[in-house]
Amino acid sequence: MTTAGVAAYYLSAPTASVPPGPGIKKRAAKELGPLLAAALGVFRIWRLGKAIAIRSLLLAVLAAAGSFLALGCAPAQAQPSPEPFEIVPGSLEVKPSRTDAGAHADLSISLELAHGEDGRTFGDLRTATVELPTGFVGSPEAVPACPQAEFLAGEMTPACSPASQIGTIGFEGQLQTIATSASMPLYNLVPTEPGVPAELGFRLAAFTQLLPVGIRSDDGGLTVSVRDVSSNLEPRALSIEIWGVPAAADHDPERGRFCLGVGGPPSCQGGEEAAGAPPRPFLANPTRCGPAVAEVRADSWEAPQVWSSADAEAGPIGDCGAVGFEPAIAASATSRAAESPSGFSASLEMPTHWSDPDGRASSALREARIALPEGFSLNPSFAAELEACVLTCPEASIVGTVEAETPILDEALRGNLYLTEPFEGPTGTRIAFKAVAEAPAAGIRVELPIRLDLDPRSGRPTAVIEDAPQLPIERLEVSLGASGSGPLVTPAACGDIGVGVELTPWSAPGDRRRLEDRVTVDRGVAGQPCPSIGSRPFHPQLSAASIEPRAGAYSAFRLHVAREDGEAPLGAISFRLPPGLSAGLAGVAVCPEAALVGARARSAATERADPSCPQGSLLGRTLIEAGVGGRPARIPGQAYLAGPAAGSSLSVALVTPALLGPFDLGTVVVREPLRLDPRSGALVVGSADARLPAVIDGIPLRVRGVAIDLDRPEFLRNPTSCRAQATRAVVEGIGPEGEIRSATLSRRYRVEACRRLRFAPTLQLRFLGTTARNGHPGLRVAFFSHPDEANLASASISMPPDLLIDPGRIGAPCGPRALASRTCPARSVVGRALAVSPLLGEPLHGQLYLRRNPQARLPGLVVDLQNRKVRLQIGAKLQMGPSGVSVVTEAAPDLPISKLVLVVAGGRRGLLVHSAGFCTGFRRLGVRMVGHNGKARSLRARLPAHCPPRHDTQGPRTAR
């Protein structure tokens, strides 16, 4: 085996962990022996003028290799050093040849590794990675790439084209105990690794080294790595120079030049070559002035992954005032219809002037603020279908596209806009996106954070880009809305609407350039005429029905109010259930006020997982439909029985955990007052003061529909009347300027099978007090009914002919206003009442009043009953006919009353008077009762009384 072959073997060995055996030595001699002949050939060619230098070079290599063979030495083992492997503090230097911003300057990088007095390092360099300062960018396509075949061809150096040389690389180290130094051309190669935008490389004899170049995705900076360095070299110092304009004639003296020194000063050959290609910039300085810091980290073969790091300032970069920045904006919406789903695109044009090798690149964009047209807002329909990126980005997180053109690549970077974090920031709503643009062929991937700030009142979005990567971007187009979807809603009225843009360059962070473009809305929804402010239609629709329509049965009840796109959003809803659709409030707990206050402060996710109100207060479910388009967002919630609100003793609390896809908008609580109509017994829910939220955290809901499903078991009992009834609702819409539109809606309601209900109430009557002639007796009337029967609709009672109304006892009948406010005069009270209903829980107590009736000779009667939850009134007429006095009730509420007791006062406050003594004979009352199902029951009720004892010989007499 020749000594030259052994030397070549050791020089090319990637590591020194295993010494070569005899077989390996023979193979190395066979494969690398021709290198000696080649080297001698080079010596013969260059013997004129350089014979001594080349002879010294070759003799030194041969002598060093011979000494290895003679001593039987193998390459050094990778053994730990007593001293730590590290980069010598302060040795890292990163220097551009010019420091003016945007200049196409050369960049030199050098560092030194810690070593002993003998020159050997404390560990063999394995990997070194240099992260150039942010803003130093390169164009891998500006220089022709050398194919790998050409790079490996040639004898001592590659056969690459001179135009592919991108700079130089040098090192100093030890070849065992012999000091060695080298300086070689650095070439731009066709990458061998997938996903690597560029790969640099150098070669000396059989020794090759590749340096992959990466573009950092977060800031666009360059990263240059040296991997798996041969430990035979033991380099203690590295230096790299990358040329700003590689084809410039200034670099011809170093183009193709390599130097090698073994045990003495280096000897050089080559150089003085022209690139033979037009000069194109490869590298440019940052366009941000001030310090620019580079970082490097390295590890050793002895301690892999144990990193030593250092940083150094390159610059400072200056003269930013001479850097240009000439942006332009073009904006467009995908829909020109008012209040319709739409996408939005903004294209920024920013000439870079990068290709001028003698000029300076224009500034990169640092910040952009694009205020979308007034009236645009986020579409809840779109938001509800999204998912946010967590560890990975699912397809449902794509909200748009991004495309960027840069002079450093021949192809555009394209990708998607992803939703990352729904909310961040201390004030307002900030929706975070991540634009990911890639050029797969070039192996470049760039990430650009984009934020959407929403005005908390109007919802107007402003797209914000901050601290963008310092890449030369000539065109950046961001489109919100993927595959024709509508993430935004256009304004409610037509017009040309301005897009406000503020752009800030890296060269002048305090200099904001203000630009403007306009988008047009010129038609209505679905081809309708263009709407104007305050003239939008409002025609909501109502649907309402009991799930089980059988009379007297318990049934869930569903109500839904909805409107179409283009109409005013729903703002408030109040509704009156059909008379007779009774609510079983007995046994229903009331959600504590503290729980409702706490719910408003909770996140939607927390409220949905653990409701604030107790289960015992749950009445049913709710659903809010929000947004525009064919698929509105559906936000479920729950309805609870709650305490006083808006003057009512009870209310319905609509608790909605507002989750829109990944957007947690908190918990919305709307209190709808709940009352029982005193005359008809109908449930009335809501008022104009109980408004639905219009905007939550900067997202206008544009409420399309509200559904309420009261499905608590045995809560609602159907009417016992099969007459046609109606569910009624008053719905308000809110216009864009706050104007209120109102609509009164009605939906037919009817149950069936009423005649199957039995109607068999009973009645008890009794005189109280005196039965003497001209006396004023009291009267007690007790009505009893079974809960499963039809409810009492009306009753008429015919008094005995001698039982009259005393005109002198008709005091001051109560008027309607006084009755409503319970301020009737004391003289109008003629009795008291008690009612028990299985649905209302605690009994109802009240008074029997004389009621003013201007259209009749006699006043009317009204029973006013109340407990802590509800109030009921039952009216009656007093009639005087030939046969005497009769009492005829008005329509009673279709409400199950198991017991009703009326006590008409007697004595000094008595209204009734006997025209004859009651003890002169029997007295009977004629009673006719009619149920709500139409069935009637007539009775001849005996009216018993106890006559006072007589002080005569005949003894007492009693009524029979």
Side-chain angles (χ1 to χ4, degrees):
M1 180 178 182
T2 64
T3 55
V6 176
Y9 168 80
Y10 284 118
L11 189 62
S12 61
T15 65
S17 58
V18 180
I24 295 179
K25 294 180 180 179
K26 292 179 180 179
R27 186 167 61 252
K30 180 178 179 181
E31 295 177 356
L32 301 178
L35 179 61
L36 178 59
L40 294 175
V42 173
F43 167 70
R44 286 193 294 268
I45 293 172
W46 288 356
R47 60 188 305 177
L48 296 176
K50 298 186 178 179
I52 298 177
I54 298 300
R55 183 188 301 272
S56 300
L57 173 62
L58 293 177
L59 289 177
V61 173
L62 294 176
S67 65
F68 298 158
L69 188 61
L71 294 174
C73 295
Q77 298 286 333
Q79 297 295 334
S81 169
E83 299 293 335
F85 171 85
E86 67 173 342
I87 300 170
V88 174
S91 66
L92 176 64
E93 292 186 348
V94 181
K95 294 182 178 180
S97 59
R98 295 166 54 188
T99 59
D100 41 343
H104 299 297
D106 303 337
L107 184 67
S108 62
I109 307 165
S110 61
L111 61 87
E112 187 176 356
L113 302 177
H115 55 276
E117 294 181 357
D118 59 356
R120 302 189 65 174
T121 57
F122 304 138
D124 298 322
L125 176 66
R126 174 176 176 266
T127 303
T129 299
V130 181
E131 293 192 355
L132 298 184
T134 301
F136 280 96
V137 292
S139 172
E141 297 180 355
V143 179
C146 179
Q148 292 292 324
E150 296 180 9
F151 176 67
L152 297 175
E155 297 171 334
M156 292 295 289
T157 59
C160 294
S161 165
S164 63
Q165 185 174 349
I166 206 167
T168 63
I169 184 168
F171 63 86
E172 296 179 4
Q174 295 290 116
L175 188 60
Q176 289 292 68
T177 59
I178 302 174
T180 306
S181 64
S183 175
M184 294 149 286
L186 190 62
Y187 293 98
N188 183 35
L189 306 179
V190 175
T192 59
E193 296 184 29
V196 173
E199 197 168 67
L200 310 182
F202 65 91
R203 184 170 73 83
L204 178 61
F207 175 79
T208 62
Q209 186 72 52
L210 303 181
L211 290 75
V213 178
I215 295 181
R216 298 191 293 273
S217 61
D218 54 348
D219 61 7
L222 293 177
T223 298
V224 182
S225 299
V226 183
R227 302 175 184 171
D228 296 333
V229 178
S230 173
S231 60
N232 291 313
L233 297 180
E234 294 192 51
R236 63 172 176 270
L238 291 175
S239 61
I240 300 174
E241 183 176 36
I242 302 175
W243 296 334
V245 184
D250 294 346
H251 302 304
D252 289 351
E254 294 183 273
R255 202 182 316 277
R257 184 169 180 259
F258 78 91
C259 302
L260 179 64
V262 179
S267 297
C268 301
Q269 65 180 42
E272 299 297 340
E273 295 184 27
R280 293 180 61 189
F282 171 78
L283 194 65
N285 285 349
T287 56
R288 174 189 181 183
C289 284
V293 178
E295 297 181 358
V296 64
R297 63 175 187 164
D299 70 344
S300 64
W301 285 106
E302 290 79 3
Q305 304 296 320
V306 178
W307 300 99
S308 174
S309 59
D311 56 60
E313 181 180 319
I317 304 300
D319 196 21
C320 279
V323 175
F325 186 63
E326 304 160 2
I329 178 72
S332 63
T334 58
S335 175
R336 299 181 64 158
E339 199 170 27
S340 299
S342 177
F344 185 85
S345 295
S347 180
L348 300 177
E349 303 285 344
M350 298 167 289
T352 62
H353 304 290
W354 172 274
S355 300
D356 182 3
D358 299 320
R360 294 164 65 177
S362 297
S363 178
L365 174 70
R366 177 183 184 182
E367 180 179 318
R369 301 183 66 85
I370 304 173
L372 273 63
E374 191 75 43
F376 272 76
S377 61
L378 198 67
N379 186 1
S381 301
F382 178 80
E385 298 179 355
L386 294 177
E387 295 181 29
C389 296
V390 183
L391 297 177
T392 60
C393 291
E395 187 174 352
S397 67
I398 299 175
V399 296
T401 60
V402 61
E403 182 173 312
E405 294 180 0
T406 171
I408 67 175
L409 293 176
D410 291 338
E411 65 173 314
L413 288 84
R414 296 181 176 87
N416 294 319
L417 188 64
Y418 297 93
L419 177 70
T420 52
E421 298 179 23
F423 294 97
E424 57 182 22
T427 60
T429 301
R430 298 181 174 185
I431 301 174
F433 300 115
K434 175 175 65 175
V436 179
E438 297 179 286
I444 294 179
R445 183 177 187 271
V446 176
E447 295 184 7
L448 177 67
I450 300 177
R451 195 181 71 236
L452 204 64
D453 291 349
L454 305 181
D455 184 277
R457 298 188 63 183
S458 69
R460 182 184 186 184
T462 298
V464 179
I465 300 173
E466 293 179 329
D467 294 333
Q470 296 182 50
L471 288 171
I473 301 295
E474 292 184 326
R475 185 180 69 87
L476 174 64
E477 181 173 345
V478 179
S479 297
L480 187 59
S483 303
S485 57
L488 301 173
V489 180
T490 55
C494 292
D496 288 336
I497 316 163
V499 180
V501 181
E502 291 183 351
L503 303 177
T504 304
W506 277 106
S507 59
D511 181 14
R512 289 189 175 182
R513 311 291 175 87
R514 289 175 172 81
L515 308 174
E516 185 179 22
D517 199 13
R518 307 190 75 81
V519 298
T520 300
V521 176
D522 56 7
R523 60 185 70 114
V525 177
Q528 297 297 315
C530 194
S532 58
I533 296 295
S535 67
R536 288 197 297 172
F538 187 60
H539 305 294
Q541 301 295 315
L542 170 67
S543 64
S546 291
I547 305 306
E548 169 57 63
R550 183 166 50 87
Y554 284 101
S555 173
F557 182 84
R558 292 177 181 172
L559 178 142
H560 184 216
V561 177
R563 53 97 184 173
E564 297 294 332
D565 278 343
E567 298 182 6
L570 301 180
I573 300 174
S574 59
F575 56 91
R576 175 188 291 261
L577 297 184
L581 188 59
S582 309
L585 300 176
V588 182
V590 173
C591 182
E593 195 69 25
L596 295 173
V597 172
R600 290 187 174 95
R602 304 176 88 191
S603 70
T606 302
E607 178 63 27
R608 180 170 292 185
D610 180 23
S612 298
C613 291
Q615 184 70 18
S617 64
L618 181 65
L619 301 180
R621 295 165 291 134
T622 65
L623 186 70
I624 293 178
E625 298 167 309
V628 300
R631 298 176 62 184
R634 299 165 64 86
I635 310 173
Q638 293 179 311
Y640 298 94
L641 185 66
S648 296
S649 57
L650 291 175
S651 64
V652 176
L654 307 181
V655 180
T656 305
L659 277 176
L660 276 175
F663 299 96
D664 192 322
L665 306 182
T667 302
V668 178
V669 179
V670 177
R671 299 287 293 277
E672 300 273 9
L674 170 68
R675 63 185 181 88
L676 205 66
D677 185 285
R679 302 300 300 275
S680 68
L683 280 174
V684 181
V685 180
S687 69
D689 296 331
R691 295 199 173 275
L692 300 170
V695 181
I696 304 179
D697 284 333
I699 300 179
L701 293 184
R702 287 184 166 86
V703 177
R704 285 270 299 275
V706 175
I708 300 177
D709 191 350
L710 300 175
D711 59 359
R712 180 187 178 94
E714 297 191 356
F715 174 64
L716 288 180
R717 184 175 185 265
N718 287 345
T720 60
S721 170
C722 286
R723 291 185 298 115
Q725 307 275 13
T727 304
R728 305 185 186 278
V730 177
V731 184
E732 291 186 355
I734 308 299
E737 297 297 320
E739 68 274 13
I740 297 177
R741 305 288 303 277
S742 181
T744 300
L745 310 177
S746 177
R747 184 75 175 183
R748 188 175 184 272
Y749 178 90
R750 191 169 187 172
V751 294
E752 57 189 25
C754 291
R755 301 294 292 181
R756 295 182 180 178
L757 295 173
R758 65 189 298 266
F759 181 67
T762 60
L763 195 69
Q764 295 180 355
L765 300 102
R766 183 164 60 92
F767 271 128
L768 303 174
T770 181
T771 57
R773 182 178 180 180
N774 296 326
H776 294 81
L779 180 65
R780 182 180 185 274
V781 180
F783 168 89
F784 299 94
S785 177
H786 194 277
D788 293 334
E789 297 180 354
N791 300 323
L792 177 69
S794 63
S796 61
I797 302 176
S798 298
M799 300 292 183
D802 54 356
L803 189 63
L804 306 176
I805 294 177
D806 188 346
R809 296 294 177 92
I810 298 176
C814 187
R817 291 185 179 179
L819 183 62
S821 60
R822 301 180 68 88
T823 57
C824 292
R827 294 179 60 194
S828 67
V829 179
V830 295
R832 64 185 186 275
L834 167 71
V836 177
S837 170
L839 297 185
L840 302 181
E842 60 185 56
L844 291 84
H845 298 271
Q847 305 288 345
L848 177 64
Y849 295 96
L850 284 174
R851 185 180 63 180
R852 187 182 303 159
N853 187 1
Q855 299 177 350
R857 294 174 54 191
L858 294 176
L861 293 174
V862 62
V863 179
D864 189 19
L865 296 161
Q866 190 173 19
N867 61 18
R868 290 179 298 176
K869 296 180 179 179
V870 298
R871 183 180 182 185
L872 285 177
Q873 293 178 348
I874 303 175
K877 297 178 182 179
L878 290 175
Q879 297 177 345
M880 181 68 74
S883 60
V885 177
S886 63
V887 180
V888 181
T889 65
E890 299 171 352
D894 192 357
L895 184 73
I897 301 292
S898 58
K899 180 180 180 181
L900 175 63
V901 179
L902 300 175
V903 178
V904 180
R908 291 179 302 173
R909 298 174 59 187
L911 180 65
L912 302 176
V913 61
H914 285 300
S915 62
F918 189 70
C919 293
T920 60
F922 293 104
R923 297 292 184 271
R924 290 185 183 275
L925 278 70
V927 179
R928 176 179 171 80
M929 295 176 287
V930 180
H932 275 282
N933 64 345
K935 293 183 178 181
R937 179 177 175 82
S938 296
L939 301 173
R940 291 289 294 169
R942 184 178 180 182
L943 188 62
H946 298 282
C947 296
R950 295 181 61 182
H951 301 284
D952 54 24
T953 59
Q954 297 182 0
R957 300 174 60 189
T958 58
R960 290 177 292 173

